[in-house]
Amino acid sequence: MKNLRYSKEDFGYLVVFPDGSIDLYEEEVATVLQSASTPSDLAAYKLRQMRVSPGFHLHSPLIVWFEVTRLCNLTCSHCYINAGRPRQNELSTEEIMTVLNDLKRAGVFSLVLAGGEPYARRDFSTIVEYAADLGFIIAIVTNGSYLTKEALERIPREDCRITLSVDGIEAHHGIRGGNSTFTLMQEKLTLMKTLGIPFSISSVISQANIHELQKLLNWCVEEDIIFRTVTFNPLGRGLRNLDIHALSKEDASASSQIFMLQKKFEAEKDKETGACVSKFFNYALNLMYMTKREHCSRSIAYIASDGQVYPCVTCAATETFSAGNIRQESFSSLWENSFRDMRAITWDHFHECPTCPFSSKEYFCANRCPIMSLILNGELFGCGATEFEKEDLRLRTERLRTEMGYVY
């Protein structure tokens, strides 16, 4: 039987169960944590109310996104981090291992190991093995180019999942700069399945592929492959390719259809996947809704390959709200003592929200993002949502309510 994972917080405890479910509990739960294994074992201690301090953040991040290099062999037209060339003075193997040790001491639950292309580092398999030995729940985000049998055989089979970036069927080739194909991705997926590697597919929804993502999703359902999507954001190289990728309000109907099919399939697959990074991310969104504060810098963080620490992917892409560098100060110290500017921001700062229909309790708008507002409006506290995202939110919410009984 797997043990519970948990962290001591100001309000009590955050507990992660073996099935990946997460919840908050009163301090008195400490007396039974060692003997419990399911939420029902702790039901009497469930937290009913939480005081949220101005600088609220978890003592232990749910997820740290660790960019181990910005080097990449592809030039994807939507790349948020403008990957290709490595950053100047990237972290060495020894420095990365020192950071991983500190993340473990800090109580970090899960890691996303990414790039660039992480396997462009010759030492990456060693890094993965070291992180797994420390007990992290790991997701590896890769374009698949370097996934050989030899590399895959070194992947831990427990608490580690590969997320393969696949951006369509025909569209994949063009989006990936003409240097990758869907056929190649199928070969990599078959190899992983043969070797018993847990894996999933991730796609960026954009104008370039939205017309064929339902076909890709249907294929994933037939092949029993977990499929998840993220919406295109105008960051990095994507900001230079808005004509290729930017979505319009008219695309929201197709997007919401893909989302619902994905959500229903995911609900079935989640019953068998156990604790994984995607469940931590979903809970980070729950905390955002509960506390009315961004999850960036409060439950997640991003470490760039030159050691710079940011609140999230978006901040890393724009090099904003940096907390400092782990070469000068440990991550655990930066997490506890930095991020003051980001943590001072609440939903109340966004001046357009009071008159916006999507600010009502009926919806969960996650677009109160100062960086996206800065990109879209030239100011930090405007609206961080595009017209597509507003319509997509409306349609998704309606369908979640009617088709799956979701109520915010």
Side-chain angles (χ1 to χ4, degrees), residues 128-380:
V128 173
E129 290 169 339
Y130 193 82
D133 287 343
L134 289 172
F136 293 107
I137 293 170
I138 301 168
I140 299 170
V141 181
T142 174
N143 64 38
S145 300
Y146 301 102
L147 291 183
T148 62
K149 183 174 183 290
E150 293 72 25
L152 289 169
E153 284 176 339
R154 296 182 64 179
I155 294 291
R157 299 307 195 268
E158 189 134 342
D159 292 333
C160 184
R161 180 177 297 276
I162 287 183
T163 297
L164 188 65
S165 298
V166 182
D167 286 315
I169 300 174
E170 297 300 327
H172 179 85
H173 181 65
I175 293 171
R176 297 276 154 178
N179 293 310
S180 182
T181 65
F182 179 66
T183 299
L184 177 63
M185 296 298 98
Q186 286 178 300
E187 293 172 3
K188 303 296 183 179
L189 291 165
T190 298
L191 180 58
M192 286 189 283
K193 187 174 289 188
T194 300
L195 294 173
I197 308 293
F199 62 86
S200 61
I201 281 178
S202 177
S203 293
V204 177
I205 298 181
S206 81
Q207 182 62 43
N209 64 5
I210 193 169
H211 60 285
E212 62 178 48
L213 284 187
Q214 186 167 333
K215 183 178 179 181
L216 175 60
L217 172 55
N218 290 338
W219 178 81
C220 287
V221 172
E222 291 172 5
E223 296 294 324
D224 197 32
I225 296 171
I226 296 171
F227 176 84
R228 294 188 174 92
T229 58
V230 294
T231 301
F232 168 77
N233 274 322
L235 300 168
R237 200 174 293 126
L239 190 57
R240 303 201 303 266
N241 290 297
L242 295 178
D243 58 325
I244 299 174
H245 292 293
L247 292 155
S248 68
K249 187 176 181 178
E250 288 68 33
D251 295 315
S253 179
S255 173
S256 65
Q257 171 71 7
I258 294 164
F259 171 79
M260 287 307 303
L261 291 171
Q262 168 197 329
K263 196 74 177 175
K264 292 172 182 177
F265 183 48
E266 183 181 282
E268 292 302 312
K269 295 298 293 180
D270 276 352
K271 297 174 184 177
E272 61 189 57
T273 54
C276 59
V277 170
S278 63
K279 292 183 181 179
F280 284 111
F281 186 77
N282 288 341
Y283 197 76
L285 292 176
N286 287 346
L287 280 177
M288 181 196 298
Y289 184 76
M290 285 190 285
T291 63
K292 310 229 179 305
R293 289 158 169 78
E294 262 283 1
H295 56 358
C296 309
S297 82
R298 294 187 176 88
S299 58
I300 64 173
Y302 186 107
I303 302 175
S305 54
D306 59 1
Q308 210 65 25
V309 178
Y310 296 97
C312 61
V313 167
T314 306
C315 290
T318 53
E319 298 185 349
T320 51
F321 287 100
S322 172
N325 194 291
I326 51 92
R327 284 187 168 120
Q328 282 76 53
E329 190 174 352
S330 68
F331 175 86
S332 52
S333 177
L334 291 172
W335 177 258
E336 191 57 35
N337 301 311
S338 298
F339 293 119
R340 290 187 180 89
D341 290 345
M342 179 61 83
R343 288 174 181 167
I345 298 171
T346 73
W347 286 5
D348 292 337
H349 284 82
F350 293 87
H351 55 76
E352 292 189 24
C353 292
T355 58
C356 176
F358 300 113
S359 292
S360 70
K361 292 182 179 180
E362 183 180 356
Y363 297 97
F364 173 23
C365 176
N367 290 298
R368 296 169 176 91
C369 171
I371 305 307
M372 291 312 302
S373 175
L374 187 64
I375 291 171
L376 296 175
N377 311 298
E379 60 168 325
L380 290 174

Side-chain angles (χ1 to χ4, degrees), residues 17-33:
F17 296 92
D19 67 355
S21 59
I22 303 171
D23 217 331
L24 309 180
Y25 295 90
E26 298 171 348
E27 288 191 13
E28 291 74 15
V29 79
T31 60
V32 295
L33 283 175

Side-chain angles (χ1 to χ4, degrees), residues 382-398:
C383 180
T386 63
E387 291 305 307
F388 160 78
E389 287 169 321
K390 293 175 184 177
E391 181 65 6
D392 191 48
L393 173 62
R394 184 183 71 81
L395 293 175
R396 287 186 182 195
T397 303
E398 288 180 0

